[in-house]
Amino acid sequence: MHSLIKHIAKNIGISLFLITSIFISPSVNAEQSSEEIIKNRKALFKKNYNTAKKVQSLSSNEDFDEAKKLMLEMSENYKSLKKMFPDNTKEGFKTEVLPLIWEEKDKFNSLMEKSSSNMIELASVIENAENIKGTLGKLMWGSCKACHSKYRKEH
């Protein structure tokens, strides 16, 4: 039970941090240090990954109402991520992104928009999907893979 409480407290802390980060405008990014921006975007990507795992579990258990809320949260996170790659964050602080993001900024931003749209579509179709796992794979995990395979360092 103690580990559950620690897990919940950790997730609440991350959530509060991310909610605050989401409301940061691009002009504030100029005032943030590159370290802060990199840490914020890493936290947001991690949040989306953890949320995706919850979406998968909830959908598999047919708890669609809660899963849909999380899908829409992920959609907004993808939109926020577009603002988190200023030129001063190409290197350092254990960033795991490739320079290609800055070389293909429009393509990367389009991918984030597509990922956001995919989550909205997923929320509208998941409940009636014949193959829940396949639908999640196509619309949610496929978005993750498209970005990771092109813009993230191998690890």
Side-chain angles (χ1 to χ4, degrees):
M1 184 70 165
H2 179 69
S3 64
L4 176 62
I5 292 170
K6 286 174 71 176
H7 177 74
I8 290 169
K10 178 182 173 185
N11 282 329
I12 289 171
I14 290 172
S15 296
L16 290 174
F17 172 75
L18 292 172
I19 289 168
T20 303
S21 298
I22 288 171
F23 293 106
I24 296 172
S25 70
S27 62
V28 175
N29 274 347
E31 297 171 11
Q32 288 184 310
S33 72
S34 57
E35 179 179 14
E36 290 171 318
I37 295 168
I38 291 169
K39 286 181 177 181
N40 287 344
R41 76 177 178 224
K42 287 175 74 172
L44 195 50
F45 276 121
K46 183 175 182 172
K47 171 72 173 161
N48 260 12
Y49 175 69
N50 288 333
T51 302
K53 292 191 303 186
K54 290 177 192 171
V55 164
Q56 175 127 12
S57 176
L58 290 166
S59 297
S60 296
N61 292 326
E62 298 184 2
D63 187 355
F64 297 117
D65 290 336
E66 189 62 30
K68 288 177 186 180
K69 290 177 192 173
L70 295 175
M71 292 171 199
L72 297 178
E73 178 185 317
M74 288 178 67
S75 174
E76 290 303 313
N77 290 346
Y78 282 121
K79 291 177 187 176
S80 296
L81 282 163
K82 295 187 319 181
K83 303 171 191 166
M84 301 178 90
F85 289 88
D87 286 340
N88 68 332
T89 63
K90 292 180 181 179
E91 296 179 344
F93 309 103
K94 299 182 181 178
T95 185
E96 296 178 357
V97 298
L98 296 172
L100 189 60
I101 283 180
W102 290 272
E103 295 167 20
E104 297 182 353
K105 190 66 153 224
D106 290 339
K107 288 181 182 178
F108 174 77
N109 286 342
S110 292
L111 183 57
M112 292 295 102
E113 279 297 326
K114 175 74 172 143
S115 297
S116 175
S117 296
N118 282 353
M119 295 311 298
I120 293 169
E121 180 182 351
L122 181 60
S124 70
V125 301
I126 192 66
E127 199 164 352
N128 297 314
E130 290 183 26
N131 179 351
I132 292 172
K133 186 176 181 179
T135 303
L136 289 167
K138 177 183 174 189
L139 294 172
M140 184 175 68
W141 295 115
S143 293
C144 297
K145 185 176 180 181
C147 184
H148 283 203
S149 65
K150 189 166 187 174
Y151 297 111
R152 187 175 185 195
K153 293 177 184 175
E154 286 189 38
H155 60 282

